Amino acid sequence: MEGQSFEKQYEIPKSETGPKFDIESVLERGEIETVERLKGHSFIKVVRIKDDGEGLFKPGERIETTMHGEIDENRAALEFLAYTVDKILEFGLVPTTVQREIQAQKGALQTFVSTAVPATKLKNWSERVDLANLKQAAVFDYLINAQDRTTNNFLIDDVTGKIWLIDHDYYMFFEDYKFSSRIVNEARRKKLAALSSEILTAVTRLTESVDALIVEADEGYLKQILEGIKKRAKILLKTEEIPMA
Amino acid sequence: MILYYFVDLYELDKDAKQRKIATFKMQEDEPGRVEINGDENHPVLKSIEGEGIFDYKNARPGKLYPHDGMNFLENLKYYFRSGYLLATDVQRATINN
């Protein structure tokens, strides 16, 4: 159904006003001007919304070829799960993401961030990021156990130093590559592992919400991810720092 | 006729318009040499040559570089999959001698 939100699935409370709500509304209900499939292996479409910029659309169910053979990946659900976790934490790291049906295909529509570029494009990216934001991103990646946070999977606004986390798909959540997260590694290197009271409050808020998310998740793999997040959130609250690998 | 394999790599600009930044090309009779056609100063290309890419297909530790030939080509689509940077599958073409 056009504009239906995954939030029905997760029952995330949200304020009636404010920038996030407005962006979600635009993505869910904005008038679509054009839709264009990008050239490349991953199935991604650029969706232009009248007077409101662009979004990147990734379809829901899709057969993906991995090292384990073909898997039925619901990338949209994974992308939205990451957005939901970030929203509860109130870190603002994952671009606004909604579920929408476009050209008879259900999927995740995520704000296109025009003000930032993949970290791969920046020389010495770690010297350009806001350190408080880097710490938040490291906490997020620790919580989701990010397996593939390469410099292609996060964006940096070179003016403000803000980080945007993208590409929350099968490879990020499930493949046991041990590629880990460049962000977590960099936070540790910069001795940013100790958590502030604000971050501990955010993680506490997540632990208070995660059981409801687990109950409401309609797929086993989503429950599995959320159980992992719950476990690692408890570790953060106990140790008050990002543990060493 | 010479058979060759290639992968195109695209980026999105600030207007979400896609632009090709490189073609990675390998001739069948030179399996250990991937030629990169693109702006050699482009930061993404410099990163690939300097830092390499992961081996997603075989889930092996270590990095892959252009001199790894087909294995390198086959992993580009997994490494660049965000849309902001996006690689194609390995494609085949022929050229006349």
Side-chain angles (χ1 to χ4, degrees):
Chain A
M1 183 185 300
E2 185 89 4
Q4 183 181 351
S5 169
F6 270 134
E7 290 187 22
K8 191 181 75 170
Q9 200 176 327
Y10 294 114
E11 297 293 336
I12 303 303
K14 64 182 180 186
S15 63
E16 291 302 310
T17 59
K20 276 279 182 192
F21 181 75
D22 292 338
I23 298 168
E24 286 177 5
S25 299
V26 166
L27 289 175
E28 286 173 350
R29 292 183 284 278
E31 182 184 339
I32 293 173
E33 283 189 323
T34 61
V35 179
E36 179 190 359
R37 163 96 198 257
L38 294 178
K39 293 171 195 155
H41 169 74
S42 290
F43 192 100
I44 301 172
K45 293 177 175 176
V46 171
V47 177
R48 296 186 192 280
I49 300 172
K50 190 175 182 185
D51 302 325
D52 279 305
E54 295 84 19
L56 295 182
F57 178 77
K58 295 162 187 173
E61 290 167 19
R62 175 174 159 76
I63 302 297
E64 184 66 53
T65 305
T66 73
M67 59 176 279
H68 299 305
E70 289 190 336
I71 58 153
D72 183 3
E73 180 200 31
N74 191 336
R75 182 169 185 176
L78 297 174
E79 294 277 4
F80 191 75
L81 178 67
Y83 174 65
T84 302
V85 169
D86 178 51
K87 191 171 168 182
I88 293 168
L89 290 167
E90 298 179 5
F91 286 169
L93 293 163
V94 179
T96 305
T97 308
V98 301
Q99 187 187 33
R100 185 161 178 171
E101 187 172 310
I102 291 174
Q103 295 179 330
Q105 208 169 18
K106 285 183 179 176
L109 182 60
Q110 184 173 80
T111 303
F112 170 69
V113 183
S114 62
T115 56
V117 297
T120 306
K121 288 189 175 182
L122 298 175
K123 196 174 179 183
N124 302 325
W125 68 267
S126 63
E127 305 305 318
R128 297 164 181 251
V129 293
D130 176 84
L131 293 184
N133 205 215
L134 178 65
K135 183 183 280 198
Q136 288 178 323
V139 168
F140 180 89
D141 270 5
Y142 172 76
L143 285 167
I144 69 163
N145 196 23
Q147 297 292 307
D148 188 34
R149 185 73 70 199
T150 70
T151 50
N152 292 317
N153 301 334
F154 63 98
L155 313 174
I156 296 173
D157 183 324
D158 202 19
V159 175
T160 63
K162 176 169 174 42
I163 294 170
W164 294 96
L165 303 179
I166 58 170
D167 265 354
H168 299 103
D169 59 5
Y170 174 85
Y171 302 98
M172 185 66 77
F173 285 108
F174 289 112
E175 286 291 22
D176 192 16
Y177 291 135
K178 311 295 184 201
F179 295 165
S180 72
S181 165
R182 291 287 298 269
I183 285 180
V184 172
N185 294 343
E186 190 59 28
R188 286 179 178 137
R189 195 183 71 80
K190 289 183 181 291
K191 304 193 187 311
L192 297 173
L195 304 183
S196 63
S197 59
E198 289 82 3
I199 286 181
L200 291 170
T201 300
V203 176
T204 301
R205 190 165 54 245
L206 181 63
T207 61
E208 291 167 352
S209 304
V210 74
D211 282 332
L213 299 182
I214 291 168
V215 169
E216 289 156 13
D218 58 1
E219 298 284 355
Y221 60 88
L222 297 177
K223 290 182 189 291
Q224 183 187 336
I225 293 168
L226 288 162
E227 290 285 2
I229 289 171
K230 179 181 173 181
K231 181 179 132 193
R232 286 182 290 276
K234 286 181 177 173
I235 292 171
L236 288 182
L237 293 176
K238 185 177 176 186
T239 62
E240 300 192 357
E241 64 176 21
I242 302 169
M244 295 301 290
Chain B
M1 282 213 298
I2 298 170
L3 176 66
Y4 70 94
Y5 302 92
F6 68 100
V7 171
D8 289 327
L9 176 62
Y10 295 89
E11 66 181 353
L12 283 177
D13 67 15
K14 288 183 184 305
D15 298 316
K17 299 272 191 195
Q18 209 173 21
R19 187 176 78 88
K20 184 156 75 176
I21 57 178
T23 297
F24 300 84
K25 189 171 158 186
M26 186 187 79
Q27 286 188 194
E28 190 181 39
D29 57 354
E30 294 182 69
R33 192 173 73 87
V34 173
E35 182 184 315
I36 305 175
N37 296 327
D39 176 2
E40 63 183 20
N41 291 316
H42 194 291
V44 174
L45 303 185
K46 290 179 93 162
S47 167
I48 290 171
E49 296 206 84
E51 293 189 24
I53 67 173
F54 289 118
D55 187 352
Y56 293 82
K57 192 178 176 203
N58 301 301
R60 279 198 292 248
K63 296 286 191 75
L64 296 171
Y65 297 87
H67 61 73
D68 290 304
M70 182 56 84
N71 203 12
F72 169 80
L73 286 182
E74 286 181 330
N75 277 283
L76 286 167
K77 68 182 178 189
Y78 302 117
Y79 195 61
F80 297 107
R81 64 181 192 276
S82 69
Y84 294 86
L85 293 166
L86 196 58
T88 64
D89 280 312
V90 178
Q91 302 168 80
R92 286 157 49 114
T94 54
I95 47 175
N96 291 319
N97 290 351

